């Protein structure tokens, strides 16, 4: 790689780093970072998008300008917007700044923008270079891109199991399989997510809090999916001071008289079937880019079968539960041949004390 290309990569990586600072806060928007150099290649401004409604990365960088940007260069990990949303179009700002060239990592998947922002920049005589650090930029905004293309939230399924692959005893008891460090780590993992989903049975059996314990404000939305609506009148999820909760129920099977047990501060929404895809779609519509499924085997199996899961996080503890009737992480997928089984890839493994944490992706 030439010296010039190394330096272009260096600045784009800086833009990607800045973008990553908004990783837990930008939903429903993407993570974007921007860097501006003057005509001599000196850094004169930087910016990143922190939250919807706040300035976009480019606008923040122009707001931070220390000197004239004309003849300079800009590095941004996502195509600048060209539509009027909550803030004015960034393309106009780039054009009026007198910048000579712009390095854009990836196109915006948003139909209102995709390719149009680039076209407007080119028409204004700005040299556009597309594709620098594409892999890193796709990785950083994979949830945003997935949501825009599929209209479903990017789903991560998390479960904790013993070394013999059990998630609980046959009587439903599962506290605690993993060590305290792993459980604390789960609280911090939750910061990355816009919503956390369980099924009605996990609510009845475990009565979880599903919060980050205050490290993300507001806390991720807590979601209970139920077919029966037979939920208890007392539950930690009903404490609306801690976090918002929504109960989504299948109106074709639920007994709506149970609605009286749910406090008024909890939102309730009905859907027409028990297909978990409906949850992914509702949450995407509400602006969730990335959601964590912390459900038990039955809902987890259905969520995988309806393509709601893109990644997995598995905690494995050096414990043996044994027994044919102890709980498995999944129900039956009815596979008949080995070529039908689910394959995961890109696994990252880490040790959490004596537990093992494995993060993997579903193969496309
Ligand atoms: N070790 C772990 O990582 C872990 C994690 C989570 C849970 N667990 C354990 O798992 C057990 C609960 O397992 P579970 O499988 O019953 O989990 P679940 O998370 O409660 O999911 C099943 C429930 O989801 C609702 N549901 C909605 N749509 C569904 C669909 N299409 N398919 C299946 N269910 C649907 C139903 O609620 P209604 O019954 O209200 O209609 C159903 O009973 C508990 O003992 C809990 O301790 C372990």
């Amino acid at each position: 790689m030439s010296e010039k290309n190394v330096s272009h990569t260096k600045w784009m990586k800086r833009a990607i780093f800045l973008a990553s600072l908004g990783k837990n806060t930008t939903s429903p928007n993407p993570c974007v970072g921007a860097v501006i150099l003057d005509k001599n290649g000196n850094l004169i401004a930087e910016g990143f998008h922190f939250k919807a409604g706040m300035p976009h990365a480019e606008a923040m960088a122009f707001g931070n300008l220390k000197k004239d940007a004309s003849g300079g260069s800009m590095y941004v990990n996502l195509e600048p917007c060209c539509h009027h949303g909550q803030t004015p179009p960034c393309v106009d700002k780039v054009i009026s700044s007198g910048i000579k060239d712009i390095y854009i990592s990836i196109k915006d998947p948003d139909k209102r923008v995709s390719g149009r922002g680039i076209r407007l920049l080119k028409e204004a005589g700005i040299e556009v270079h597309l594709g620098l650090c594409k892999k890193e930029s796709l990785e950083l905004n994979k949830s945003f891109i997935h949501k825009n293309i599929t209209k479903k939230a990017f789903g991560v399924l998390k479960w904790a199991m013993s070394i013999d692959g059990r998630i609980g005893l046959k009587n439903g008891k599962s506290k605690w399989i993993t060590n305290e460090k792993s459980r604390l780590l789960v609280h911090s993992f939750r910061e990355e997510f816009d919503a956390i989903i369980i099924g009605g049975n996990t609510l009845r059996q475990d009565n979880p809090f599903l919060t980050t314990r205050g490290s993300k404000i507001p806390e991720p939305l807590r979601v209970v999916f139920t077919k029966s609506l037979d939920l208890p009148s007392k539950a930690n999820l009903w404490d609306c001071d801690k976090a918002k909760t929504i109960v989504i129920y299948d109106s074709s099977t639920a007994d709506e008289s149970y609605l009286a047990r749910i406090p008024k501060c909890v939102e309730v929404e009905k859907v027409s079937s028990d297909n978990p895809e409906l949850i992914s779609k509702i949450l995407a519509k509400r602006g969730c880019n990335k959601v964590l499924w912390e459900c038990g085997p039955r809902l987890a199996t259905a969520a995988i079968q309806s393509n709601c899961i893109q990644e997995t996080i598995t905690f494995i503890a050096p414990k043996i539960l044994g027994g044919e009737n102890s709980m498995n992480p999944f129900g039956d997928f009815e596979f008949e041949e080995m070529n039908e089984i689910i394959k995961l890839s890109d696994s990252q493994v880490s040790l959490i004390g004596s537990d093992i944490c494995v993060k993997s992706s579903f193969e496309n």
Side-chain angles (χ1 to χ4, degrees):
M1 215 190 288
S2 75
E3 220 172 274
K4 232 180 176 178
N5 285 345
V6 170
S7 128
H8 292 315
T9 306
K10 176 183 112 180
W11 292 120
M12 186 58 89
K13 286 201 168 162
R14 175 73 191 160
I16 293 170
F17 164 75
L18 292 167
S20 74
L21 299 176
K23 194 162 69 98
N24 299 343
T25 48
T26 59
S27 287
N29 289 350
C31 299
V32 189
V35 169
I36 305 175
L37 307 185
D38 69 10
K39 57 181 181 229
N40 300 317
N42 301 311
L43 177 68
I44 50 171
E46 301 184 321
F48 73 99
H49 182 50
F50 179 64
K51 210 176 170 174
M54 289 176 75
H56 286 185
E58 302 89 324
M60 184 176 176
F62 286 120
N64 288 339
L65 265 181
K66 293 193 193 98
K67 56 193 258 204
D68 185 16
S70 26
S73 307
M74 183 168 214
Y75 297 81
V76 59
N77 60 305
L78 190 75
E79 177 179 8
C81 68
C82 55
H83 63 282
H84 280 270
Q86 281 177 277
T87 56
C90 291
V91 158
D92 295 355
K93 283 202 166 70
V94 178
I95 293 170
S96 62
S97 71
I99 271 180
K100 173 176 67 68
D101 57 3
I102 182 164
Y103 290 78
I104 299 169
S105 198
I106 54 173
K107 277 191 194 172
D108 192 328
D110 188 326
K111 281 200 189 101
R112 292 170 300 178
V113 184
S114 198
R116 263 187 69 213
I118 291 176
R119 207 181 60 232
L120 290 170
L121 292 168
K122 282 185 178 165
E123 282 169 8
I126 296 174
E127 224 176 282
V128 179
H129 308 267
L130 180 67
L132 189 60
C133 302
K134 185 175 168 183
K135 199 170 157 224
E136 293 91 328
S137 292
L138 286 173
E139 175 63 26
L140 180 65
N141 273 312
K142 63 187 171 192
S143 321
F144 171 78
I145 296 167
H146 175 88
K147 185 194 69 180
N148 266 282
I149 294 171
T150 64
K151 305 295 172 219
K152 294 198 287 186
F154 186 95
V156 179
L157 175 67
K158 178 239 127 193
W159 72 95
M161 64 182 195
S162 60
I163 208 151
D164 58 334
R166 311 294 186 174
I167 64 159
L169 299 173
K170 68 176 174 194
N171 60 12
K173 291 188 179 158
S174 63
K175 285 180 179 169
W176 297 105
I177 288 177
T178 49
N179 65 34
E180 200 183 348
K181 252 184 163 176
S182 297
R183 301 200 302 272
L184 286 174
L185 198 62
V186 170
H187 300 161
S188 67
F189 280 171
R190 287 179 183 149
E191 290 172 34
E192 281 182 36
F193 296 90
D194 303 310
I196 302 170
I197 305 155
I198 56 164
N201 204 26
T202 295
L203 171 58
R204 288 188 292 271
Q205 295 279 343
D206 296 356
N207 190 20
F209 288 94
L210 304 181
T211 65
T212 64
R213 303 300 191 266
S215 52
K216 182 176 188 178
I217 298 170
E219 289 277 359
L221 176 68
R222 304 179 292 190
V223 184
V224 185
F225 192 23
T226 171
K227 296 203 272 192
S228 65
L229 250 183
D230 184 5
L231 304 176
S233 53
K234 282 203 173 117
N236 290 321
L237 293 197
W238 302 163
D239 180 353
C240 305
D241 292 336
K242 287 220 163 63
K244 273 192 190 173
T245 301
I246 179 168
V247 171
I248 303 179
Y249 70 94
D250 174 359
S251 61
S252 69
T253 48
D255 177 347
E256 292 187 326
S257 69
Y258 289 135
L259 283 171
R261 293 186 191 159
I262 301 171
K264 293 279 169 285
C265 67
V266 172
E267 221 181 299
V268 176
E269 183 157 348
K270 59 176 156 186
V271 286
S272 56
S273 82
D274 67 353
N275 189 341
E277 192 180 57
L278 297 170
I279 303 283
S280 282
K281 284 185 175 163
I282 287 175
L283 294 176
K285 247 191 185 160
R286 291 176 70 109
C288 297
N289 287 350
K290 195 173 178 188
V291 299
L292 182 63
W293 295 75
E294 290 203 41
C295 44
R298 287 184 299 144
L299 186 51
T301 306
I304 289 180
Q305 285 170 325
S306 53
N307 294 322
C308 294
I309 308 297
Q310 281 61 54
E311 286 182 0
T312 57
I313 302 175
T314 316
F315 286 88
I316 306 163
K319 291 174 186 162
I320 295 173
L321 271 62
E324 278 179 24
N325 296 321
S326 299
M327 266 189 287
N328 282 305
F330 302 106
D332 203 340
F333 290 105
E334 314 282 344
F335 297 136
E336 300 268 342
E337 300 293 338
M338 283 306 283
N339 62 10
E340 295 170 17
I341 64 170
I342 298 161
K343 296 187 192 81
L344 304 175
S345 58
D346 304 325
S347 293
Q348 294 166 34
V349 181
S350 49
L351 263 185
I352 320 295
S354 56
D355 291 349
I356 301 164
C357 176
V358 187
K359 291 183 177 185
S360 305
S361 305
F362 270 63
E363 275 185 11
N364 292 320

